[in-house]
Amino acid sequence: MHLLVFPSEKAAAAALARQIADRLKAKPDLVLGLPTGRTPIPLYRELVALHRCGEADFSRAATFNLDEFVGVGPEHPGSYRHFMQQHLFAHINLPPERIGFMNGLAANADAECARYEGTIRDAGGIDVMLLGIGTNGHIGFNEPARELQARSHRVTLHGTTRRANASLFGNDPSRVPLAALSMGMATILDAREIVLLAMGKSKARCVERVVSGPLTTRVPASFLQLHRRVALVLDRPAASSLSS
Ligand code: PGA
């Protein structure tokens, strides 16, 4: 794993945004995998700024988001689709038809997950998969468990995860959907390159387990050790449990 430690969250976001802009120049039809959460917000802000000054052209790019809640549509203020619109898509020139998202309102979750896997394949696979990480080591909605799912699937959300997402639903955990759709571990590991972002002291312990711990379904992100091209983009507090 390639470790990149930055003096601040902003410095990390700026450097990563610059790298993505460079990738877009080299490969204008770049396929990006995207996360939601607090962590990528500064990165999205930097990408929007680069786009505004003509440095990041998304006109031929495509994106696939990691996950979505079941039972909320794209216009719902709690949906991840809405989050992405607000923080990134509304401010860049990515054509709407190249925004890949799981449909939280799909009547048949299995069919929707199979459709999503198919659209990723049809796009030629994901070039760069950006990930956040939960303090418990989850990626997407692949939560610690006795077994993990390989492909996109429906997940019943833990109470802790629903509480962690309450801010999207008027700070009321009971309004957070009971289930979500998520890319699976193999969907993530199929990407040609993976960049995991982790910021702040609260992520230090899980970062240490991802880098140095055994492969275990109890820390889903530990499986990133199997991938040949993984970069961890960290600020100093998130890197503080790593032995230098
Ligand atoms: P965060 O969430 O970016 O809000 O810390 C990351 C995650 O839980 O995957």
Side-chain angles (χ1 to χ4, degrees), residues 36-40 132-134 138 203:
T36 49
R38 201 190 56 79
T39 309
I133 184 168
H138 75 208
K203 302 290 170 79

Side-chain angles (χ1 to χ4, degrees), residues 114-128:
R115 179 199 68 80
Y116 201 56
E117 293 279 336
T119 54
I120 295 172
R121 266 196 311 276
D122 292 348
I126 294 171
D127 291 307
V128 184

Side-chain angles (χ1 to χ4, degrees), residues 44-116:
Y44 295 155
R45 200 177 295 131
E46 295 290 336
L47 283 173
V48 169
L50 287 176
H51 172 68
R52 288 199 174 130
C53 66
E55 289 293 311
D57 176 12
F58 293 87
S59 62
R60 292 177 54 200
T63 63
F64 289 95
N65 262 81
L66 269 170
D67 43 21
E68 179 58 287
F69 292 111
V70 166
V72 294
E75 313 293 336
H76 189 291
S79 72
Y80 283 162
R81 180 67 183 77
H82 184 268
F83 173 100
M84 290 304 302
Q85 196 65 24
Q86 201 185 0
H87 290 285
L88 184 66
F89 298 153
H91 315 291
I92 60 174
N93 64 337
L94 178 67
E97 65 276 13
R98 284 214 278 280
I99 295 173
F101 238 94
M102 283 184 270
N103 176 9
L105 295 179
N108 180 331
D110 289 347
E112 175 57 11
C113 290
R115 179 199 68 80
Y116 201 56

Side-chain angles (χ1 to χ4, degrees), residues 161-177:
T161 305
R162 293 178 68 220
R163 280 194 290 282
N165 280 277
S167 64
L168 295 170
F169 294 86
N171 290 320
D172 180 357
S174 71
R175 285 170 53 198
V176 179

Side-chain angles (χ1 to χ4, degrees), residues 1 189 194 215 221-230:
M1 286 184 168
L189 290 167
I194 296 175
L215 297 190
S222 65
F223 282 82
L224 297 179
Q225 292 177 32
L226 295 173
H227 198 282
R228 285 173 196 279
R229 284 189 78 186
V230 179

